Amino acid sequence: MPARSLNVPSVLSETWGGGGARFGHAAINDGQIYWFACETIAEHAQPAHDLARLATRFRNWHAPIPAMLAAGSPGTLLRHDVYYLRERLPSFVRGRVVLLGDAAHAVTPDIGQGACLAVEDAVTLAAAIGKRGIDDGLHAHDRLRRPRTERMARMSGGLGHILQTAGPTAALLRDTITAALPTPLLMKAVGGALAWNPPFGSATTGGVTSTVR
């Protein structure tokens, strides 16, 4: 069913509910709709991977959520279990082996920065090795990347817990505080957290140059 017939805008929208659930959606290319449904469940639980179950779970949510689920194709449904890591790696480097991206610092999808952090890793690694050689560069990369990635992982996981709070009182408090926050203040806080400047100087790789401090 075309996105326009469901009145789904191209901007990403997310609805927070009670009971540990939320739903996001946006119209994308060729009239398609991207949507995601999140639900907090017990660890290692195995609910049915079933579009009909989701339709039942969100049947009383606002339009166009029920209509999107009714128009969905079961064959396109993907399920991803999300776990919060209890401990961070003490180092991303062992010898001349280095972990990048989610292999080093997996983050929950709550702030949409997993792939971005991997790109930052690649730029930092290239700059560090280019300036200091392989061995010293690997350790410089590790020293630079761990504080930021660990901070982002904590932020993402914490946000996920808040957005998917199960208790009605906590959900009301979440919604009240969020509604009271001035938009410029909220955007400033988010922008400051996501802003990043590459280190060292200028790193050039594969025809792409990153100008850095």
Side-chain angles (χ1 to χ4, degrees):
M1 185 176 294
R4 61 180 177 275
S5 66
L6 293 176
N7 196 29
V8 177
S10 57
V11 64
L12 179 63
S13 174
E14 185 170 292
T15 300
W16 307 339
R22 55 184 161 140
F23 194 99
H25 58 81
I28 53 176
N29 59 306
D30 299 326
Q32 299 180 76
I33 299 172
Y34 162 74
W35 60 261
F36 61 88
C38 304
E39 183 179 18
T40 301
I41 59 176
E43 187 175 8
H44 304 307
Q46 294 293 323
H49 182 60
D50 187 350
L51 188 59
R53 176 185 172 275
L54 283 178
T56 299
R57 177 68 173 84
F58 293 93
R59 67 181 182 275
N60 294 323
W61 287 44
H62 67 78
I65 293 174
M68 282 190 290
L69 291 171
S73 172
T76 63
L77 185 64
L78 301 175
R79 171 181 164 176
H80 302 285
D81 295 336
V82 178
Y83 288 90
Y84 296 89
L85 299 180
R86 291 184 173 88
E87 297 181 8
R88 300 295 164 189
L89 295 177
S91 176
F92 301 154
V93 174
R94 177 175 294 181
R96 286 194 167 188
V97 176
V98 58
L99 299 178
L100 305 179
D102 281 349
H105 42 72
V107 297
T108 62
D110 300 288
I111 57 174
Q113 291 296 298
C116 297
L117 290 175
V119 172
E120 292 179 13
D121 285 349
V123 172
T124 302
L125 182 62
I129 290 177
K131 185 175 182 65
R132 300 188 178 181
I134 294 177
D135 294 318
D136 288 345
L138 288 177
H139 290 289
H141 164 84
D142 182 63
R143 185 173 63 255
L144 286 165
R145 292 304 294 160
R146 273 188 292 115
R148 171 168 170 77
T149 55
E150 289 170 358
R151 183 172 66 254
M152 295 291 280
R154 288 193 302 270
M155 178 191 302
S156 186
L159 181 62
H161 280 299
I162 293 172
L163 297 185
Q164 288 186 224
T165 184
T169 302
L172 177 61
L173 180 62
R174 172 201 64 195
D175 297 345
T176 301
I177 292 175
T178 303
L181 286 175
T183 300
L185 179 61
L186 182 61
M187 295 305 297
K188 182 178 180 180
V190 172
L194 304 184
W196 178 75
N197 289 315
F200 294 119
S202 180
T204 303
T205 178
V208 177
T209 299
S210 298
T211 303
V212 293
R213 289 193 302 229

